[in-house]
């Protein structure tokens, strides 16, 4: 019988060991996108007949052993001052060492801010092929082919990775979290990481706001709202739904809303479960950042607005009449 961790032959390539999943954390908690990456990595490991292991940098408050429920056999921790805040060069160095120590052949990231800053560096350092923004499991029937989004979500590409080490970063909301039972072994990985070149000296958090990149629901406004004085229509609904707020680019440019709320091709790309677009035309550059949302609700007074083509639900109407009615309806539903 084959033992886990032994050499395996697949498409004439040798796989010795684990699929390694980078688990990123925020304030000691493993992020949801990483749980998607863990579930995805566990399935990749199953396809390859090997095991999935996670790696975490810095102090974590979550019960790491419980991550076994997502299919991870082992969690490797890396501790020390240099890894307590994200420095992509330090993390890349640590991950490169881990890949060598664990003989990992596939490394999986979430394609979020951390993944985007580390995966390409690791790819260059290890001379390993990288597919960023994967949306499906690799097809290993003939090589190692990964499907990804291209042209801002307008098309798919199937990219073959032929290097010995393969790196995948998974688009948020592209793979369902698979939680079952199980416990992972937690082990400290001893390594020398370089001194951080960048030091975080302080963090000013905006109190009470839900981070846009992690929000399950987003309520977003465009120029149709006429001015910042009307933004209560957006923020009131967001508060009721526990949602984050976003905006189109001209709204950020006009300083009606802070720039970090701007979504789209030149702003943040998001993939919430529910995206409300209020008074936004649906220009291609805006859609590029939101078209991976699971459900899109569009409120626009122009029935010809391009956003309706991308909408799951559309309301043709004046936002100043429709939004108060939605807010009232949600309040009623919540018994408020
Ligand atoms: C290189 C490049 C990059 C860009 N990147 C981005 C990007 O990342 N993100 C982004 O958003 N844009 C981006 N843009 C700009 C983009 O092309 C559009 O100009 C922009 O998205 C339009 O914003 P808007 O829909 O809020 O405004 P508008 O185009 O002015 O649309 C307003 C909409 O509100 C509707 N409306 C008006 N009054 C009401 C009302 N009372 N009730 C309901 N609906 C109403 C109108 O029918 C209209 O559809 C980019 C452009 C370029 C050239």
């Amino acid at each position: 019988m084959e033992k886990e961790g032994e050499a395996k032959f697949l498409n004439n390539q040798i796989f010795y060991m684990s699929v390694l999943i980078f688990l990123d954390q925020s304030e000691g908690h493993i992020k949801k996108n990483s749980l998607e990456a863990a579930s995805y990595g566990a399935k990749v490991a199953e396809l390859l007949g090997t095991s999935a292991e996670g790696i975490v940098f810095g102090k974590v408050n979550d019960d790491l052993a419980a991550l076994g429920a997502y299919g991870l056999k082992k969690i490797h921790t890396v501790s020390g001052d240099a890894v307590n805040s994200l420095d992509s060069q330090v993390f890349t160095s640590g991950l490169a060492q881990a890949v060598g120590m664990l003989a990992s052949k596939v490394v999986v990231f979430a394609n979020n801010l951390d993944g985007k800053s580390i995966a390409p560096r690791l790819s260059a350092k290890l001379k390993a092929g990288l597919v960023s923004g994967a949306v499906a499991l690799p097809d290993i029937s003939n090589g190692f082919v990964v499907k990804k989004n291209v042209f801002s979500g307008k098309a798919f590409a199937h990219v073959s990775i032929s290097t010995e080490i393969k790196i995948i970063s998974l688009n948020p909301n592209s793979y369902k979290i698979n939680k079952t039972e199980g416990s992972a072994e937690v082990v400290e990985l001893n390594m020398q990481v370089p001194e951080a070149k960048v030091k975080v000296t302080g963090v000013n958090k905006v109190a009470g706001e839900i981070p846009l990149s992690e929000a399950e629901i987003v309520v977003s406004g465009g120029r149709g709202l006429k001015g910042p004085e009307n933004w209560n229509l957006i923020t009131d609904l967001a508060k009721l739904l526990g949602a984050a707020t976003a905006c189109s680019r001209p709204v950020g440019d006009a300083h009606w809303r802070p720039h970090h709320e701007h979504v789209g091709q030149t702003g943040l790309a998001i993939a919430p479960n529910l995206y409300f677009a209020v008074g936004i035309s649906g220009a291609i550059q805006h859609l590029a950042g939101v078209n991976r949302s699971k459900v899109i609700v569009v409120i626009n007074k122009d029935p010809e607005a391009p956003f309706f083509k991308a909408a799951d639900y559309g309301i043709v109407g004046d936002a100043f009449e429709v939004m108060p009615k939605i807010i009232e309806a949600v309040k009623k539903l919540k018994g408020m």
Side-chain angles (χ1 to χ4, degrees), residues 221-226 247-251 262-267 278-286 299-302 305-306 317-320:
R223 224 160 23 185
L225 285 170
K226 317 289 184 224
C247 66
S248 65
R249 176 167 143 174
V251 165
H262 145 210
V263 289
Q265 185 186 317
T266 45
V278 187
I280 305 177
S281 57
I284 185 148
Q285 296 90 354
H286 184 85
I299 299 158
N300 197 303
K301 69 174 185 188
D302 175 8
D318 188 329
F320 295 92

Side-chain angles (χ1 to χ4, degrees), residues 39 42 64-73 177-184:
S39 301
L64 290 177
L67 295 175
Y70 302 93
L72 305 181
K73 288 269 181 301
I177 293 173
N178 183 19
K179 189 173 183 199
T180 51
E181 306 257 295
S183 174

Side-chain angles (χ1 to χ4, degrees), residues 247-278:
C247 66
S248 65
R249 176 167 143 174
V251 165
D253 288 347
H255 304 293
W256 294 359
R257 296 298 291 174
H259 260 299
H260 67 254
E261 284 197 2
H262 145 210
V263 289
Q265 185 186 317
T266 45
L268 205 62
I270 55 171
N273 285 328
L274 180 58
Y275 183 71
F276 278 93
V278 187

